[in-house]
Amino acid sequence: MAEMAADERLRLLIERIERLEEEKKGISDDIKDVYNEGKATGYDPKAMKQVVRIRKMKPDDRKEQEAILEVYLNALGID
């Protein structure tokens, strides 16, 4: 009896994961559509993605990342 309950619980968990995976795919497709919409209106999707990534960062982390990048670019003679 306990084994049957465990099997049922596993089945429910797997089905839940499958539903969430489908939702994730749908959201991913929606995000792609928004980037394509931006591209169609003249925005650069790569730059948009970079802005989204930067906005997720904490201000201190972003400043540190920018400082490191500046050091690397200067070391390579890139202005």
Side-chain angles (χ1 to χ4, degrees):
M1 189 67 146
E3 183 179 320
M4 217 168 142
D7 290 348
E8 178 65 11
R9 177 73 176 151
L10 176 60
R11 185 185 62 76
L12 291 173
L13 289 169
I14 297 298
E15 288 175 356
R16 189 168 150 205
I17 291 168
E18 290 170 342
R19 281 193 305 276
L20 291 170
E21 288 289 341
E22 276 299 312
E23 289 177 27
K24 183 170 74 170
K25 184 187 179 320
I27 290 170
S28 178
D29 290 344
D30 291 347
I31 292 169
K32 286 178 189 173
D33 290 344
V34 173
Y35 282 116
N36 286 333
E37 182 180 336
K39 184 177 182 177
T41 57
Y43 295 107
D44 183 328
K46 288 181 184 179
M48 292 171 61
K49 289 176 185 180
Q50 191 170 13
V51 169
V52 170
R53 184 181 54 79
I54 289 169
R55 286 175 50 110
K56 288 181 186 179
M57 297 173 79
K58 295 178 185 174
D60 289 341
D61 292 342
R62 188 190 81 244
K63 288 177 186 172
E64 180 183 349
Q65 190 75 20
E66 288 171 352
I68 292 169
L69 179 60
E70 185 176 335
V71 168
Y72 287 9
L73 291 174
N74 287 334
L76 296 171
I78 301 170
D79 292 333

